[in-house]
Amino acid sequence: MISGFEKLNEAKRFVQSKVPTFPDFLIVLGSGLSNLLNEIQVETEISYQDIPHVVQTSVEGHVSRLVVGKLGGVRVACMQGRLHFYEGLKMEEVVFPFRVFGMCGAKVFFLTNAAGALHPDMQPADLVLIKDHINLMGTNPLVGKNLDSLGTRFPDMTHLYDPELRGIVSQTAKKLAMELREGIYVGLHGPSYETPAEIRMYQILGGDVVGMSTVPEAIALHHMGKRVVAVSCVTNLAAGVSPTPLEHSEVSETAKKVQTKFCALVRESIQSMETKL
């Protein structure tokens, strides 16, 4: 039976056959960032279904492809669509594409997501720079036999969200006269939204925003020695914070409204990172 590492190498060889020189920067186009593709001078597009061993997403509205090109003069790769643990996948399947693109040569991963706010002073369309996370998904992408060629068995997570990259994003927001909060992301299994009692617990634990992605890939990438920075787009107030029941359509509508400023923050931050790193 083919091993996990052999699968990764097979996928890596395929991607490299399409993109021989992989960009240093990879952006995950979470909710609110789809318009960023309109600004990219596209060089190559690869459907996830063409990459060996990559599972297809079942989430409505999540296109599954890798787009490579230039954004504001900087060569980048963009993941349009990601896999989620709540789809019934194994953690190794969720993080597989990230590991492949990391093996291909991506060095900096700019992760984005839609998230629920845990505090009443937050508003839909707020942007939150993630400084840390609390993993409440019930498992970890590093469980099982360690892939020693990727990273150590027991990686330290103190600086998972790269302090220097966070500083660049923060300074970029100031330059753009854009309010950017900083907070702790609580990663949950999903797919059901949280109960008010659970939200109160997450508040007590110190969380600021809550969501169903980002944590697995951040851990897997840090394990590989990659640099990670992440921004959440607040699309709704979490259960109990707002008296209104949560609906996925609310998340989608808010994400659309914030696209312009979200795209500007990512584009300008990537340009600054290229000059400073």
Side-chain angles (χ1 to χ4, degrees):
M1 189 172 76
I2 186 170
S3 71
F5 192 64
E6 289 171 327
K7 289 180 179 179
L8 286 168
N9 270 318
E10 188 174 337
K12 172 189 173 184
R13 287 192 293 271
F14 174 82
V15 173
Q16 288 184 325
S17 72
K18 305 295 183 182
V19 189
T21 304
F22 205 87
D24 290 338
F25 298 95
L26 187 142
I27 306 166
V28 178
L29 303 177
S31 299
L33 265 189
S34 60
N35 274 5
L36 193 68
L37 289 178
N38 297 332
E39 302 183 26
I40 292 179
Q41 295 177 308
V42 178
E43 170 188 316
T44 307
E45 293 185 10
I46 304 174
S47 172
Y48 291 175
Q49 67 181 6
D50 294 334
I51 303 175
H53 312 297
V54 173
V55 178
Q56 300 308 297
T57 181
S58 63
V59 182
E60 182 182 352
H62 280 247
V63 180
S64 300
R65 62 174 173 165
L66 179 77
V67 179
V68 178
K70 283 191 175 182
L71 174 66
V74 181
R75 198 160 174 268
V76 300
C78 294
M79 287 180 66
Q80 188 178 19
R82 54 149 59 93
L83 300 169
H84 299 79
F85 191 41
Y86 62 70
E87 296 179 68
L89 306 177
K90 299 176 182 177
M91 270 293 180
E92 65 187 66
E93 294 174 322
V94 172
V95 303
F96 186 90
F98 294 91
R99 283 174 165 162
V100 171
F101 301 144
M103 290 172 65
C104 286
K107 299 175 183 176
V108 174
F109 287 74
F110 200 129
L111 312 180
T112 69
N113 60 57
L118 294 176
H119 304 297
D121 65 332
M122 288 184 172
Q123 298 295 324
D126 280 354
L127 298 180
V128 181
L129 180 63
I130 299 175
K131 63 180 179 181
D132 205 345
H133 75 231
I134 299 173
N135 181 11
L136 293 181
M137 291 188 167
T139 187
N140 186 299
L142 306 184
V143 169
K145 180 177 174 56
N146 186 55
L147 298 176
D148 295 331
S149 58
L150 296 186
T152 181
R153 168 79 279 187
F154 303 106
D156 178 80
M157 292 286 145
T158 304
H159 298 301
L160 191 161
Y161 298 96
D162 191 285
E164 184 180 8
L165 298 183
R166 282 173 27 223
I168 291 173
V169 176
S170 181
Q171 287 300 316
T172 300
K174 290 180 181 177
K175 184 182 73 173
L176 296 173
M178 184 185 301
E179 183 178 2
L180 179 66
R181 293 174 175 268
E182 190 171 66
I184 295 172
Y185 181 91
V186 182
L188 302 175
H189 188 303
S192 58
Y193 288 119
E194 310 72 37
T195 68
E198 289 170 335
I199 291 301
R200 289 194 296 272
M201 178 179 71
Y202 307 147
Q203 291 169 335
I204 292 170
L205 291 175
D208 297 295
V209 290
V210 61
M212 305 172 193
S213 68
T214 303
V215 168
E217 53 261 43
I219 293 173
L221 290 168
H222 189 68
H223 173 246
M224 295 177 70
K226 303 300 179 178
R227 304 183 71 175
V228 176
V229 66
V231 174
S232 291
C233 170
V234 173
T235 51
N236 57 276
L237 299 180
V241 179
S242 168
T244 307
L246 303 178
E247 295 185 12
H248 184 65
S249 58
E250 177 186 358
V251 172
S252 301
E253 285 304 311
T254 302
K256 290 178 182 177
K257 294 176 182 177
V258 76
Q259 286 198 69
T260 300
K261 72 172 184 177
F262 205 172
C263 290
L265 177 65
V266 173
R267 180 186 63 250
E268 297 295 324
S269 293
I270 291 290
Q271 288 177 325
S272 295
M273 288 175 191
E274 188 192 41
T275 61
K276 296 178 181 178
L277 301 183

